[in-house]
Amino acid sequence: MTRIAICAPARPITRDLADAVSALVAREMADVTLNFHAQCFVEDGHFAGNDAARLAALLDCANDPGTDAVWIARGGYGSNRIAAEAVTRLNAAASSKTFLGYSDGGYLLAALYRAGIGRPVHGPIVVDMVRDGGEAAILRSVRFMAGMDGADLCEPSLDSCPRVAFNLTTLAILAGTSLMPDLAGHVVMVEEVAEHLYAIDRLFFTLMPHLSGIAGLRLGRISCVPENDRPFGHNAEQIARDWCARAGVPFLGFADIGHDADNKVVPFGLASPASAP
């Protein structure tokens, strides 16, 4: 039996969404139990509770020896406000857990990876249930957390090189902070949603000086790009290639990650699917 605890370090979810995800997992995977922390449904302006409430829920889930994995309910904004303190208060039980999320959850994944705590994993989150094809996305993450192998779960370019995956904005904001892990020798995968192309260029300008020494960069999907009043003149691939060339970083092509239901799982470092709980 795999026991997965769900909390919301950023924005809240609805009980209807939690019920739908629980019903799907109960129907498809009888050997998995989901436990939604009550904090997931708390509303405090933008956030799923204030910083103290969100931190307490994360610690409840992570420090519980009776659970195998911690699943981030949704992104938005907020994980960065509690991640630094969280890693100082995690106990031995947290060190054996998978922590799975993406987007805003990348702040927490980065802090955990830097501290060497648990197994950070980029992958679909609870709120992805509402997307077209969302059931497949939900089951992809749950199957990974349950220790199942399969070519349809993980990003297909994974090889013997350590890797990480982040939302581009999240990683650019992480750069130079106390949460940023050492990514030397890693393949770094990035994706983005709903940003103008000039903003994508600006994010790479901010990020690339902090990625010297990485093994290379892979570009995930840059989706829902707004139209500007004047065309930028370069697409996302051209932008990424240009900044990689400026930084002396190999551009390795593309990654099957993004803010969509096809978003694939990327375990940080050298972890393999077979080593999941």
Side-chain angles (χ1 to χ4, degrees), residues 256-275:
D256 193 5
I257 62 171
H259 270 68
D260 53 50
D262 292 328
N263 187 27
K264 296 301 190 296
V265 171
V266 181
F268 281 27
L270 289 171
S272 64
S275 66

Side-chain angles (χ1 to χ4, degrees), residues 94-195:
S95 65
S96 63
K97 286 183 173 58
T98 294
F99 293 82
L100 193 146
Y102 78 109
S103 193
D104 174 86
Y107 296 112
L108 178 60
L109 300 182
L112 291 165
Y113 195 52
R114 177 183 173 117
I117 297 172
R119 186 189 192 204
V121 178
H122 164 108
I125 52 181
V126 171
V127 75
D128 286 324
M129 179 73 169
V130 304
R131 301 185 187 276
D132 290 340
E135 289 192 359
I138 293 298
L139 293 175
R140 186 178 308 122
S141 283
V142 174
R143 285 171 176 150
F144 182 90
M145 288 185 282
M148 296 184 180
D149 202 350
D152 61 329
L153 301 182
C154 287
E155 205 284 328
S157 69
L158 302 186
D159 54 23
S160 60
C161 192
R163 64 274 178 168
V164 294
F166 289 100
N167 171 260
L168 178 59
T169 297
T170 300
L171 186 56
I173 293 172
L174 277 165
T177 72
S178 63
L179 303 180
M180 181 73 166
D182 181 3
L183 299 181
H186 286 65
V187 171
V188 176
M189 306 178 190
V190 293
E191 55 80 26
E192 190 52 85
V193 63
E195 293 286 354

Side-chain angles (χ1 to χ4, degrees), residues 181-262:
D182 181 3
L183 299 181
H186 286 65
V187 171
V188 176
M189 306 178 190
V190 293
E191 55 80 26
E192 190 52 85
V193 63
E195 293 286 354
H196 288 86
L197 288 171
Y198 69 80
I200 300 298
D201 191 80
R202 183 169 57 204
L203 290 166
F204 274 112
F205 162 76
T206 301
L207 175 62
M208 294 311 293
H210 298 274
L211 295 187
S212 61
I214 69 170
L217 183 133
R218 286 188 175 274
L219 185 65
R221 286 178 286 283
I222 308 297
S223 58
C224 302
V225 176
E227 289 190 18
N228 197 29
D229 58 353
R230 184 178 183 88
F232 186 66
H234 302 279
N235 62 30
E237 178 185 353
Q238 291 168 325
I239 293 168
R241 285 183 179 275
D242 176 51
W243 285 107
C244 282
R246 291 171 183 245
V249 167
F251 180 77
L252 302 178
F254 300 98
D256 193 5
I257 62 171
H259 270 68
D260 53 50
D262 292 328

